[in-house]
């Protein structure tokens, strides 16, 4: 990993059961992401509803992909493995290496804050709601062309 503040990947192979893995990630989400997270002094909120299998909507956006049909969500192991990158990505001091590059972009009429780690290929997206910030999603950037597009966006909107 390029960014020294990011923890090691939390891989499914470290668990004996996939359900234990997801439960462990959800416990981490509840304790470290949903509660007490801040960005530039603003409270970070996580969308709770609609719940899916008894878990917050935000958690599902952080660990699954393909939301075209709410009943057909698919676990994305790359997102799961990097769930623990969100907190240090948002709260860490990345000045030494510029691990996370920040830019704002209006999406569907709302100001979105993008935190791009081009070296570790990771993106965190938040939405500024005035007195708080909503965590929208975070994901691994798998494709080179997508990474290139995000770097170009950074240079355009920073």
């Amino acid at each position: 990993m390029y960014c020294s503040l990011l923890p090691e990947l939390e891989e499914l192979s470290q668990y004996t059961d996939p359900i234990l893995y997801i439960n462990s990630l959800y416990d981490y989400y509840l304790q470290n992401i949903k509660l007490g997270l801040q960005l530039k002094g603003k409270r970070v909120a996580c969308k709770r509803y609609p719940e899916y299998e008894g878990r917050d909507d935000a958690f599902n956006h952080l660990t699954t992909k393909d939301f075209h049909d709410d009943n057909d969500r698919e676990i994305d192991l790359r997102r799961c493995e990097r769930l623990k990158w969100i907190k240090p990505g948002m709260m860490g001091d990345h000045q030494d290496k510029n691990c996370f590059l920040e830019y704002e972009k209006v999406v569907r009429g709302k100001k979105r804050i993008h935190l791009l780690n081009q070296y570790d290929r990771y993106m965190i997206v938040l939405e500024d709601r005035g007195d708080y910030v909503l965590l929208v999603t975070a994901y691994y950037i798998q494709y080179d062309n997508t990474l290139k597009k995000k770097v170009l966006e950074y240079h355009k909107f920073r």
Side-chain angles (χ1 to χ4, degrees):
M1 272 179 288
Y2 178 80
C3 185
S4 60
L5 297 178
L6 298 178
E8 293 297 317
L9 298 178
E10 185 82 8
E11 296 178 330
L12 175 60
S13 63
Q14 297 168 287
Y15 292 80
T16 57
D17 182 346
I19 294 172
L20 291 174
Y21 179 58
I22 296 299
N23 288 343
S24 175
L25 292 175
Y26 192 63
D27 288 344
Y28 178 86
Y29 160 81
L30 291 173
Q31 295 171 19
N32 295 282
I33 296 173
K34 187 174 180 175
L35 300 175
L37 201 53
Q38 290 193 349
L39 180 70
K40 296 181 180 178
K42 288 186 179 182
R43 176 180 65 86
V44 174
C46 297
K47 190 175 174 192
R48 182 172 175 194
Y49 296 105
E51 290 183 348
Y52 182 74
E53 296 183 357
R55 295 187 179 96
D56 288 3
D57 184 58
F59 177 76
N60 291 312
H61 277 273
L62 299 171
T63 57
T64 63
K65 62 182 178 180
D66 296 328
F67 295 97
H68 304 293
D69 180 355
D70 284 344
N71 296 323
D72 195 26
R73 292 182 174 174
E74 180 181 320
I75 291 290
D76 183 347
L77 290 178
R78 289 191 169 137
R79 288 184 185 212
C80 291
E81 292 168 348
R82 292 161 178 81
L83 183 73
K84 293 184 178 182
W85 288 12
I86 295 170
K87 185 175 182 176
M90 289 174 46
M91 299 182 75
D93 179 7
H94 302 282
Q95 299 302 331
D96 61 331
K97 289 186 176 180
N98 283 333
C99 296
F100 282 85
L101 306 173
E102 181 178 338
Y103 64 96
E104 294 180 2
K105 177 180 162 187
V106 176
V107 177
R108 287 180 234 125
K110 299 190 179 178
K111 185 168 75 171
R112 294 255 171 118
I113 302 162
H114 295 76
L115 302 174
L116 170 65
N117 178 328
Q118 64 182 330
Y119 302 106
D120 295 312
R121 305 174 72 102
Y122 195 64
M123 173 71 82
I124 302 169
V125 181
L126 305 108
E127 191 170 279
D128 192 337
R129 297 284 182 98
D131 58 340
Y132 70 97
V133 178
L134 180 69
L135 177 58
V136 175
T137 194
Y139 56 90
Y140 174 75
I141 302 169
Q142 181 174 355
Y143 301 108
D144 291 339
N145 61 329
T146 304
L147 179 61
K148 186 176 181 180
K149 177 182 168 190
K150 296 301 180 187
V151 171
L152 289 172
E153 274 185 7
Y154 165 73
H155 289 292
K156 180 178 179 182
F157 293 107
R158 66 182 168 142

